[in-house]
Amino acid sequence: MKKSQKILIGAGAGILALGVAAAIAGPIVYRDFIAAPAAEAPTLSADESTLEAGDAAEAGAGDALDPALLAGDWEVADGSEAGYRVEEVLNGTDVTVTGRTEEVTGSFAIGEDGLTLESAELTVDVASIATDSAQRDSYFRSQAIDTSRFPEASFVLTSPVALDAAPAAGDTVTAEASGDLTIAGTTQPVTFSVEVRSDGETAEIAGAIPIAFSDFGVEAPNLGFVSVEDTGSVEFQLVAAQA
């Protein structure tokens, strides 16, 4: 079996580190007191906004955005991150693992009507994704994905996403997006919900793409004391600015 087919997700939860922790402390103690808490699921709750209050006021918070402000090209900006979420089972105890990286690039094109996302391309530096365990990350990079061969994952929008009307400045809208997701050299079509919020100059985008790792030719391991679920999600929380 090729290295890239062994596992997508950091595989076996840092086998050595988790095995030692489980033997000494027990899986529940490990989960609750030793392992770092899983990252929050991406969302655009009001208290997490990266939009400046002054910008929102200038745009007229509560007033519908002028579609002309939204039309054109946008780029992924600083403050963006992407990664994965997966469930591990350690001696019968569920442990949620999340990996994150800020090495995300991409572009978006909004049509002249200001209401239609016509294209989107995102690229994630897979080799820089990190969890709370160096052992897990090493396995992920060397055997799970084999980042020497597949250093990036990508998403390309395949169907336009259209809104019926311009949202109010600072309001969060939810839409459905479809595209091609490529991981470890394998491409699969995906459809998922995405949240978007904008003040006309900056936009925030958040979502999660449910996947089965076997769809990408990846086999989740079962090592007895620790196993990894075959399903998980690719997660992203992005900031975009007009190009």
Side-chain angles (χ1 to χ4, degrees), residues 29-229:
V29 173
Y30 173 83
R31 179 193 65 190
D32 294 343
F33 299 103
I34 298 177
E40 295 292 333
T43 186
L44 297 183
S45 60
D47 59 354
E48 292 179 335
S49 176
T50 63
L51 304 180
E52 296 292 339
D55 293 340
E58 184 177 347
D63 297 334
L65 288 168
D66 180 354
L69 295 175
L70 306 177
D73 296 329
W74 295 67
E75 293 180 347
V76 173
D78 291 343
S80 300
E81 67 174 17
Y84 67 83
R85 180 180 303 269
V86 67
E87 298 295 328
E88 298 174 342
V89 181
L90 176 62
N91 285 341
T93 299
D94 293 335
V95 179
T96 300
V97 173
T98 53
R100 292 289 186 266
T101 180
E102 296 180 354
E103 298 300 320
V104 186
T105 58
S107 61
F108 310 88
I110 298 179
E112 293 183 358
D113 63 0
L115 301 176
T116 304
L117 177 63
E118 296 182 342
S119 65
E121 296 184 7
L122 298 171
T123 300
V124 178
D125 179 6
V126 176
S128 65
I129 294 176
T131 68
D132 63 314
S133 168
Q135 290 90 343
R136 180 193 292 117
D137 297 340
S138 177
Y139 190 98
F140 173 80
R141 294 163 187 161
S142 64
Q143 299 189 55
I145 296 294
D146 188 2
T147 56
S148 64
R149 296 179 58 206
F150 306 109
E152 297 176 339
S154 65
F155 170 80
V156 178
L157 188 74
T158 54
S159 299
V161 179
L163 300 179
D164 294 330
D171 277 3
T172 297
V173 297
T174 301
E176 189 172 86
S178 296
D180 289 334
L181 178 65
T182 300
I183 298 173
T186 298
T187 301
Q188 292 288 349
V190 293
T191 298
F192 56 96
S193 294
V194 61
E195 295 179 334
V196 182
R197 175 171 59 200
S198 179
D199 62 1
E201 296 182 358
T202 304
E204 296 172 285
I205 307 155
I209 307 174
I211 62 171
F213 302 114
S214 56
D215 289 345
F216 295 88
V218 174
E219 181 180 349
N222 186 335
L223 305 177
F225 71 92
V226 61
S227 61
V228 179
E229 299 293 334

